[in-house]
Amino acid sequence: MKKILTILALAISAMTMMAETLHIGNLYYEIIPIEGRYYAEVIPHRSYKKLKELEIPESITYQGVTLPITIGNSAFNGCKSLASITISNSVISIGYDAFEGTAIYKEQSYWENGALCIDGCLIKASQYIPNTYTISDDIRVIADCAFSSCPSITSITIPNSVISIGRGAFNGCTDLQEIYFTGSMKQWEIITENWSKGYHTDTPVICTDGT
C-alpha cells in the first residue's frame, strides 16, 4: 500500500510539473517528458522581443528536481533584436524555426560550412550547400527540419560527435540517396533510439562497420 501511494504521489507531482509554465530568469519553460526523463523546454513568449543577447542555461531546478533544457518550436521566432546567443552543451533538442527571423541569421560568425551553427548545434543549412555535404565534426545536435531547404542534396556525412537528430531533419531532401555516419552501427542505434525517433528518413545509413 505504501509503495502504491508513493507511486501515485510521484505521478501527481509529475503531472503538476507538466501543467505549469515556469518563468526563471528571462526565459519561460514548460516541463516535457522525453524517454522517461523530464526536461524544461524553452517556449515562445512576447517578452523575448526585447532581447539582444541570450544565454541558454545547462539546467533549471524546480521542486528540488534538476531539469536539463530543450529549445522548443519557434521559441525565439521573430525576435529581430536577438543577435547573440550562447547554448549550453547539455541542450539535446532544438525545435523547428527556433531562431527564425532573428538577427542571428545575419551574423556571419554563426555561419559555418554553409550552415547556421551555434555552440555545436546545427540550426539550419543553407539551400546553397554542396550536393555532397559533410557536417562539421564539432556538431552534436541537429535541429528539427535543419536540412528542409536542401532539396538537391544527394549525400550527407554525419560525424560521430552528433547525439541528437531532430524531427524532420531531412524533410524535403528529395534527392538524398546516402547518409554516412562516422561512428559504428551501435552508436547510430543509440542516437536514433534515445533522441531522434522523429528524424524520419528511408535513406540508407552507412556506418563504419556496415549498414
Side-chain angles (χ1 to χ4, degrees):
M1 184 66 178
K2 186 176 180 180
K3 185 176 181 180
I4 294 174
L5 290 174
T6 301
I7 292 172
L8 285 173
L10 289 171
I12 292 170
S13 177
M15 288 188 289
T16 301
M17 288 172 63
M18 292 175 62
E20 292 191 48
T21 297
L22 310 180
H23 181 202
I24 299 175
N26 56 3
L27 295 174
Y28 288 79
Y29 305 88
E30 284 183 353
I31 310 304
I32 62 168
I34 302 178
E35 294 298 317
R37 186 176 181 183
Y38 289 99
Y39 289 78
E41 181 166 275
V42 180
I43 59 173
H45 195 269
R46 61 183 180 277
S47 65
Y48 300 161
K49 302 296 183 183
K50 303 174 184 178
L51 294 176
K52 294 182 179 180
E53 57 183 20
L54 178 65
E55 181 173 347
I56 306 294
E58 290 188 6
S59 62
I60 63 170
T61 300
Y62 178 64
Q63 294 186 355
V65 179
T66 298
L67 302 169
I69 306 298
T70 69
I71 301 173
N73 297 334
S74 302
F76 303 100
N77 194 321
C79 297
K80 298 178 181 179
S81 298
L82 184 58
S84 176
I85 186 166
T86 301
I87 300 176
S88 73
N89 60 14
S90 64
V91 170
I92 55 90
S93 176
I94 298 178
Y96 66 83
D97 288 349
F99 302 101
E100 188 73 26
T102 68
I104 289 170
Y105 272 75
K106 299 178 181 179
E107 292 290 332
Q108 289 302 311
S109 60
Y110 287 116
W111 287 89
E112 174 186 336
N113 193 26
L116 180 67
C117 300
I118 305 173
D119 296 326
C121 303
L122 194 156
I123 308 299
K124 192 73 173 178
S126 164
Q127 61 180 318
Y128 303 110
I129 62 172
N131 291 350
T132 300
Y133 185 75
T134 299
I135 296 174
S136 301
D137 59 11
D138 61 342
I139 296 299
R140 56 185 180 76
V141 173
I142 299 174
D144 292 3
C145 303
F147 289 90
S148 61
S149 299
C150 309
S152 299
I153 192 170
T154 58
S155 171
I156 188 167
T157 298
I158 300 174
N160 60 9
S161 57
V162 169
I163 62 168
S164 170
I165 301 173
R167 290 180 176 85
F170 306 112
N171 278 3
C173 298
T174 53
D175 291 339
L176 185 60
Q177 299 172 14
E178 293 175 320
I179 296 173
Y180 294 92
F181 177 60
T182 64
S184 67
M185 294 174 65
K186 182 62 176 177
Q187 287 175 293
W188 183 258
E189 288 174 6
I190 291 172
I191 292 171
T192 55
E193 286 177 4
N194 286 354
W195 308 117
S196 310
K197 290 184 177 179
Y199 81 99
H200 293 317
T201 180
D202 295 325
T203 305
V205 177
I206 302 170
C207 302
T208 55
D209 56 353
T211 58

